[in-house]
Amino acid sequence: QVQLVESGGREVQAGESLRLSCKTDIVSWRFGDYCMGWLRQTPGKEREVVARIETNGKKEYVQSVQGRFTISRDNSESILYLDMNSLKPEDSAMYICAARRWACLTDLRPTQFGHQGQGTQVTVSS
């Protein structure tokens, strides 16, 4: 079982920025074999994939965060990041780190990620 530990979530004002981190226990020489993603969930809504990064570094985002969020990975340290800029109140959610061995699926379904962390809360105040 892969361990994923998120950090960096807190309350901020609209327009501010945050960086989320996800430390994994995947050995560095295997980390590059994983499709990694950030999901988010709010009460009463389905979990959605916010961003994902392929094993080859290709990135995809849900339309609502394109141009504002950037996903990145440090394969040498087995860490995943999410840089969030121009935050909006509707970005408030529990942000969850996720991993899938080998390539991502062609769509953004959350269920493709067999490993998910406990999450870190982001709250954006207007």
Side-chain angles (χ1 to χ4, degrees), residues 14-45:
E16 292 185 345
S17 299
L18 272 180
R19 166 172 266 205
L20 304 184
S21 300
C22 172
K23 292 187 178 181
T24 82
D25 67 350
I26 303 170
V27 292
S28 59
W29 54 275
R30 285 199 184 274
F31 186 65
D33 293 337
Y34 281 76
C35 165
M36 299 296 298
W38 285 99
L39 286 56
R40 68 184 177 188
Q41 185 160 29
T42 55
K45 292 188 177 181

Side-chain angles (χ1 to χ4, degrees), residues 21-109:
S21 300
C22 172
K23 292 187 178 181
T24 82
D25 67 350
I26 303 170
V27 292
S28 59
W29 54 275
R30 285 199 184 274
F31 186 65
D33 293 337
Y34 281 76
C35 165
M36 299 296 298
W38 285 99
L39 286 56
R40 68 184 177 188
Q41 185 160 29
T42 55
K45 292 188 177 181
E46 290 189 1
R47 193 169 290 193
E48 69 169 347
V49 176
V50 175
R52 70 168 190 201
I53 183 166
E54 262 280 21
T55 56
N56 63 7
K58 181 181 177 182
K59 305 173 185 180
E60 286 198 49
Y61 302 91
V62 68
Q63 187 173 5
S64 61
V65 307
Q66 282 190 354
R68 299 189 297 120
F69 289 14
T70 302
I71 188 171
S72 60
R73 63 194 301 164
D74 183 338
N75 287 348
S76 66
E77 298 290 335
S78 302
I79 298 176
L80 182 72
Y81 298 102
L82 184 67
D83 289 296
M84 305 187 293
N85 297 316
S86 302
L87 282 161
K88 304 176 181 180
E90 51 263 41
D91 294 319
S92 297
M94 182 71 74
Y95 283 75
I96 300 158
C97 177
R100 170 187 171 86
R101 186 72 186 272
W102 307 125
C104 302
L105 297 181
T106 56
D107 56 35
L108 290 179
R109 72 184 80 166

